[in-house]
Amino acid sequence: MSYWDSGKRNVVRYCRHFLVDNGAFHVERCMGVMQSGTQMIKLKRGAKGLVRLFYLDEHRTCLRWRPSRKNEKAKILIDSIYKVTEGRQSEIFYRQAEGSFDPSCCFTIYHGNHMESLDLITSNPEEARTWITGLKYLMAGISDEDSLAKRQRTHDQYPF
């Protein structure tokens, strides 16, 4: 083996470690931002949007928001999230006046047994990207078979 080949192999190894480390760093940065909290607009059917502080709990198992009159109900368990979509794709977004919000600042969290949607608008695209990335990472990390089975049943019931 020549010097060139061994040097090339070391560069490839370095690149792999760099990418893995940066990916982990990026995810941890997302988790930190999510746990610190982000003010977002929560859209509701037939009502004006509500500004709320959304945050990931310390155990990374629950998305919460405040203020809320339903304090204990103002949460979504991560293992109840079926999917997260980017942009203005939900029914509630469709009902909003066209052009009201930048699509790159919008995302929807589908959750629960009846596929409820939580439609959110951030103040900039980077915040939306952070939350979408973080939520998808948390969803992918769930290894509890009961949670995965529950998600599959929900998907089978509401296949869109």
Side-chain angles (χ1 to χ4, degrees), residues 139-155:
M139 289 169 59
I142 294 172
S143 59
D144 177 2
E145 288 183 26
D146 289 339
S147 297
L148 292 173
K150 190 187 312 177
R151 258 199 222 149
Q152 186 58 48
R153 281 194 304 274
T154 301
H155 175 60

Side-chain angles (χ1 to χ4, degrees), residues 87-88 93 99-107 120-125 128:
R88 300 169 37 119
F93 276 120
S100 297
F101 308 107
D102 178 355
S104 63
C105 295
C106 302
F107 67 100
L120 300 171
I121 305 161
T122 61
S123 58
N124 63 62

Side-chain angles (χ1 to χ4, degrees), residues 8-147:
K8 213 158 121 181
R9 190 174 305 140
N10 286 337
V11 169
V12 169
R13 245 186 248 135
Y14 171 77
C15 287
R16 266 194 213 123
H17 290 299
F18 178 78
L19 290 172
V20 168
D21 291 344
N22 261 347
F25 172 76
H26 179 66
V27 167
E28 281 307 311
R29 188 187 66 74
C30 290
M31 295 296 116
V33 168
M34 293 168 69
Q35 286 181 310
S36 295
T38 304
Q39 281 205 323
M40 294 186 251
I41 297 172
K42 176 184 172 193
L43 289 184
K44 294 180 72 171
R45 286 185 205 280
K48 287 175 58 174
L50 305 170
V51 176
R52 297 289 182 253
L53 178 69
F54 288 84
Y55 61 98
L56 182 63
D57 75 338
E58 64 189 54
H59 304 292
R60 298 181 178 177
T61 59
C62 189
L63 171 64
R64 302 189 69 91
W65 59 91
R66 63 179 188 251
S68 175
R69 286 179 288 179
K70 304 172 188 172
N71 203 20
E72 197 46 44
K73 290 185 179 184
K75 68 180 178 184
I76 295 174
L77 296 174
I78 298 299
D79 70 358
S80 76
I81 297 175
Y82 166 65
K83 74 178 172 180
V84 178
T85 59
E86 303 174 42
R88 300 169 37 119
Q89 297 183 36
S90 74
E91 179 185 333
I92 291 177
F93 276 120
Y94 283 136
R95 291 181 183 191
Q96 295 294 324
E98 198 58 41
S100 297
F101 308 107
D102 178 355
S104 63
C105 295
C106 302
F107 67 100
T108 301
I109 301 169
Y110 292 96
H111 63 96
N113 293 332
H114 302 292
M115 289 293 289
E116 299 112 73
S117 70
L118 175 61
D119 301 280
L120 300 171
I121 305 161
T122 61
S123 58
N124 63 62
E126 179 62 28
E127 286 179 341
R129 192 90 225 95
T130 297
W131 278 86
I132 292 165
T133 300
L135 288 169
K136 286 185 176 184
Y137 169 79
L138 289 168
M139 289 169 59
I142 294 172
S143 59
D144 177 2
E145 288 183 26
D146 289 339
S147 297

